[in-house]
Amino acid sequence: MDGMAKTSTTTQGLRAAIERSGYYPALVAEAVEAAVGGEPVRSYLVHQETTFDQNEVRRHVTVLVLTGNRFIVSHTDEQAADDTSPTPYATTSTESVKLGRISSIVVSRVVANPEQYKPGTLPREIVLTIGWGAVSRLDLEPAACGDPNCEADHGYTGSSTADDLSLRVSEAGDGPETVRQALAFAQALSEATADSSR
């Protein structure tokens, strides 16, 4: 299959995955397609999440798209009627990040029975964390010296962590195919960011 046919297949796969999620597919697809523009899609991940907020069930979908030059993240949330709207509504946002801005990609894998692990076994769950500098978490704690009797103020010590996006995908909750897709997307994004830094 040539590159053009593969790109068309990938774009069609993205659209089909959005429709399979069943979560306002016309709205989500339009927002994602507008952000992607005419660029070929290299890889994608569609992840739907259901949360419980007091007496309400809320759905959220995240769509991640990798093009030749950009990483696109789209979030869509539904909201119940409130003071600002007499009817339920949805909010969709997209962010486009140049590949060269991505500073960190962390894939945390959870595997059962690690002593019996065989290469290629699907993790029970993964957490994909991607940082590009839009959001950072600062963890501070009081600094101390080695003297247990010291009462001096040593200021603070801490660490800053890029934490723009964190996505948890599990075999039990999302199915094995979604875990595979998340791993494939993480690998494609890692390779693309390595290429863009050369």
Side-chain angles (χ1 to χ4, degrees), residues 16 37 45 61 94 101 107 141 157 178:
L45 175 64
V61 69
T94 56
R101 286 195 48 217
V107 180
E141 61 184 43
T157 185
T178 303

Side-chain angles (χ1 to χ4, degrees), residues 31-157:
V32 170
E33 288 168 3
V36 170
E39 284 190 75
V41 173
R42 292 172 60 181
S43 186
Y44 63 87
L45 175 64
V46 177
H47 181 255
Q48 184 176 325
E49 188 175 17
T50 303
T51 57
F52 300 93
D53 183 16
Q54 296 176 356
N55 295 332
E56 295 180 19
V57 176
R58 291 197 177 167
R59 296 180 301 164
H60 173 90
V61 69
T62 301
V63 180
L64 308 180
V65 179
L66 174 64
T67 72
N69 301 308
R70 299 179 297 146
F71 164 65
I72 297 164
V73 58
S74 173
H75 295 287
T76 303
D77 292 288
E78 64 183 357
Q79 306 292 329
D82 58 23
D83 295 340
T84 63
S85 175
T87 59
Y89 60 98
T91 304
T92 299
S93 64
T94 56
E95 183 172 2
S96 175
V97 181
K98 288 187 177 192
L99 290 177
R101 286 195 48 217
I102 295 178
S103 56
S104 131
I105 301 166
V106 180
V107 180
S108 300
R109 301 167 189 242
V110 177
V111 296
N113 304 313
E115 70 281 355
Q116 299 171 6
Y117 180 80
K118 292 183 176 132
T121 301
L122 200 60
R124 186 170 65 193
E125 69 180 60
I126 70 161
V127 177
L128 174 60
T129 305
I130 304 167
W132 57 90
V135 177
S136 292
R137 184 178 69 239
L138 190 60
D139 296 319
L140 294 175
E141 61 184 43
C145 66
D147 182 357
N149 297 318
C150 181
E151 295 181 12
D153 182 356
H154 294 285
Y156 289 89
T157 185

